[in-house]
Each structure stands twice: as C-alpha cells, then as structure tokens.
Amino acid sequence: QVQLVESGGGLVQAGGSLRLSCAASGSSASFSVMGWYRQAPGKQRELVAVIRSGGSRDYGDSVKGRFTISRDNAKNTVYLQMNSLKPEDTAVYYCAALSNGSGYWGQGTQVTVSS
C-alpha cells in the first residue's frame, strides 16, 4: 500500500521561508513523478511544482522564482523549499506521486502565511 507522509508545514510571516518534505513508501516500482499541489479555501487544487525521476521540473506560475522542488530518489522523498512567502500562498499543500501508472496523494499539510 503506497503511503505519502508530509511534514514541514506551519505558520510563517510574509517574506519568510518553509521547507516541506514528503516521504513515499509501499511501491515496488519507482515513483516516476513526485510533486506538490495546494488548495486554498474556496479555490480549486492547483499545481505548485513537480519533478520527474530524471530531474526535470515544472512550476506553477505563481511560485516560479520563489519555490524550489528537489528529490532524493534513493529515499523516495520530495522536498519543496518555499522562500519569499506571501499571504496568498496560504493553503493546504498536498504531496502527489505517480508510480506504475497510478497516482497517489498525501493527507495534506497546512501552510499559513501571515501578513
């Protein structure tokens, strides 16, 4: 059974930084894509960043230049370094992973940015 366990959310002031981590386990195949999505109250879930096993990355327009995604393939762990945080970054951040054609979600971690 695949599990994604997130950590690192919390409360931070505008301009501050946070680092999210997500450890994936339970798949006999590798995780070809890992990444982060977020959902703010009353809004649709949106892409934050994804990274493929080969290292290529995609970012949502609103976080380009401020957030950096990375992964440790040996540990099946993906990280999201978030800098220059803004109040509009406040949301539940969900880890996502793709393995053997199936997608998986973490339980979500709250990030709150105060002004």
Side-chain angles (χ1 to χ4, degrees):
Q1 181 178 356
V2 173
Q3 286 189 319
L4 304 179
V5 179
E6 300 134 332
S7 60
L11 173 65
V12 65
Q13 288 188 333
S17 298
L18 280 175
R19 188 188 193 218
L20 305 183
S21 300
C22 171
S25 62
S27 175
S28 59
S30 63
F31 293 92
S32 56
V33 184
M34 299 184 75
W36 296 91
Y37 289 74
R38 68 186 183 187
Q39 188 166 18
K43 295 189 176 181
Q44 289 188 329
R45 193 170 297 191
E46 64 174 358
L47 168 71
V48 177
V50 293
I51 182 168
R52 298 167 187 82
S53 55
S56 63
R57 301 166 171 85
D58 288 314
Y59 292 94
D61 288 341
S62 61
V63 306
K64 286 179 181 176
R66 299 187 297 123
F67 292 9
T68 302
I69 190 169
S70 60
R71 66 185 284 174
D72 184 332
N73 289 332
K75 295 181 180 179
N76 283 331
T77 299
V78 62
Y79 306 96
L80 184 69
Q81 178 65 44
M82 305 185 292
N83 298 329
S84 302
L85 283 160
K86 305 175 181 180
E88 50 263 44
D89 293 318
T90 295
V92 178
Y93 283 69
Y94 295 92
C95 179
L98 185 65
S99 176
N100 217 20
S102 296
Y104 303 92
W105 293 97
Q107 79 283 0
T109 185
Q110 177 70 45
V111 171
T112 302
V113 185
S114 63
S115 57

